[in-house]
């Protein structure tokens, strides 16, 4: 499930979004599962508009946009990827422990950017 709540006022926009990923089977028989998790992000951006109004001769830049995002807002620990080494067959109850292939998801991260639209 995914949802986003955003608000725009003049040239500024702020948002918060969330997504839910359910438990996923690790083996073919469904005996071993990666747990479910919630993820949330927060962000804001501001558009300066046509740069010709600020700088003479820069009217070819339609928008200069500054944005800032906080990914994984709650610093959730989760399994982002599994099975890149292949999944266990399932005949042996210990098969899931022989060829483990889990990648832990990224911790809280901060991103800022500047974008020019022509």
């Amino acid at each position: 499930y995914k949802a986003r709540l955003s608000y725009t006022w003049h040239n500024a926009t702020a948002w918060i979004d969330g997504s839910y990923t359910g438990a996923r089977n690790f083996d073919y028989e469904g005996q071993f599962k990666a747990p479910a998790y919630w993820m949330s992000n927060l962000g804001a951006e501001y558009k300066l508009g046509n740069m010709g109004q600020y700088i003479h001769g820069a009217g070819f830049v339609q928008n200069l946009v500054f944005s800032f995002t906080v990914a994984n807002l709650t610093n959730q620990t989760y399994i982002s990827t599994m099975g890149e080494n292949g999944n266990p067959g399932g005949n042996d109850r210990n098969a899931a422990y022989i060829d483990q292939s889990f990648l832990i998801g990224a911790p809280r991260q901060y991103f800022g950017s500047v974008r020019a639209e022509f």
Side-chain angles (χ1 to χ4, degrees), residues 37-64:
Y37 64 91
W38 283 94
M39 182 69 61
S40 57
N41 304 299
L42 179 71
E45 74 176 21
Y46 186 79
K47 293 183 179 182
L48 288 176
N50 189 309
M51 293 306 295
Q53 64 186 341
Y54 303 108
I55 303 170
H56 181 69
F60 62 93
V61 178
Q62 297 302 311
N63 273 317
L64 190 61

Side-chain angles (χ1 to χ4, degrees), residues 19-26 32-39 72 75-84 87 96 100-107:
S19 63
Y20 174 77
T21 301
R24 297 161 288 158
N25 290 335
F26 178 61
F32 304 98
K33 297 181 183 294
Y37 64 91
W38 283 94
M39 182 69 61
N72 193 0
N75 206 21
Q76 177 73 32
T77 301
Y78 62 100
I79 296 172
S80 64
T81 305
M82 61 182 196
E84 69 276 359
N87 289 342
Q100 293 186 9
S101 56
F102 294 105
L103 293 178
I104 302 301

Side-chain angles (χ1 to χ4, degrees), residues 84-102:
E84 69 276 359
N85 291 334
N87 289 342
N91 292 334
D92 181 6
R93 294 246 343 133
N94 294 320
Y97 303 105
I98 295 170
D99 188 17
Q100 293 186 9
S101 56
F102 294 105

